[in-house]
Amino acid sequence: MSRKEFEASRMRRMRRVAGRHGLTILTAEKLTAKQGKGGHALRDDESFKVVYGHHPLPFTATLEDIEAYLDKLEAAED
């Protein structure tokens, strides 16, 4: 397994991409019965509003969901 496949490496890479778009990745730290530990959401840095990962419940996006959303933002920029 290469280093770029580790979850910590993926998260750092996604945080950099999100930062370029004025977004912050939030991670739920509390353990919940429905989704376990560590759901994610994206927050706009200017308005502090959650723009992705809050429907139907807060912190429902997975890392794969966040990565796909950021990939779409990157593709739209090109």
Side-chain angles (χ1 to χ4, degrees):
M1 179 187 284
S2 70
R3 286 187 181 185
K4 71 177 186 176
E5 294 172 6
F6 289 126
E7 190 169 321
S9 298
R10 285 178 60 210
M11 185 59 107
R12 278 194 302 275
R13 214 172 33 252
M14 287 189 286
R15 285 186 195 277
R16 284 194 302 269
V17 172
R20 286 196 297 263
H21 293 282
L23 301 170
T24 300
I25 299 174
L26 305 174
T27 302
E29 295 296 327
K30 286 193 171 185
L31 191 64
T32 62
K34 289 189 178 181
Q35 68 191 66
K37 183 179 180 185
H40 302 282
L42 278 172
R43 180 187 71 193
D44 181 51
D45 291 338
E46 288 184 18
S47 66
F48 295 104
K49 292 184 179 181
V50 176
V51 295
Y52 185 75
H54 61 291
H55 289 296
L57 297 170
F59 297 103
T60 55
T62 64
L63 274 181
E64 290 76 24
D65 296 337
I66 297 290
E67 192 169 32
Y69 184 87
L70 293 173
D71 287 344
K72 286 180 188 176
L73 287 178
E74 289 284 295
E77 197 175 82
D78 291 336

